[in-house]
Amino acid sequence: TTLFRSLTAITAAVENPVVAIGGLKQNNLHTLVHTGVAGAAIVSEIMQSTDVAQTVQTERALIQAARNA
């Protein structure tokens, strides 16, 4: 995807850690894997959650599953 290519190019071009911010949801977190980003700011989905702990746990599991795929 364009997002994957853009993030990969950015992380390869800079020495500073890159954090993905904006538009991140459970259904697109897998696109961040293998881009080289140091982290992801998943603010709105967490703040809108009725169970923050469960939302964070699910998102962490999704990222780990994508890393292992």
Side-chain angles (χ1 to χ4, degrees):
T1 69
T2 302
L3 174 62
F4 178 84
R5 287 190 303 272
S6 297
L7 285 173
T8 302
I10 291 167
T11 58
V14 300
E15 293 182 24
N16 295 333
V18 174
V19 177
I21 301 172
L24 301 173
K25 305 285 184 196
Q26 288 183 5
N27 67 349
N28 64 7
L29 289 176
H30 66 281
T31 62
L32 300 177
V33 176
H34 308 299
T35 61
V37 296
I42 312 166
V43 178
S44 61
E45 190 161 85
I46 292 171
M47 295 303 292
Q48 294 171 2
S49 174
T50 57
D51 187 342
V52 172
Q54 180 61 48
T55 299
V56 171
Q57 184 177 6
T58 299
E59 290 170 350
R60 292 178 87 182
L62 288 169
I63 292 169
Q64 190 60 45
R67 285 181 178 156
N68 294 333

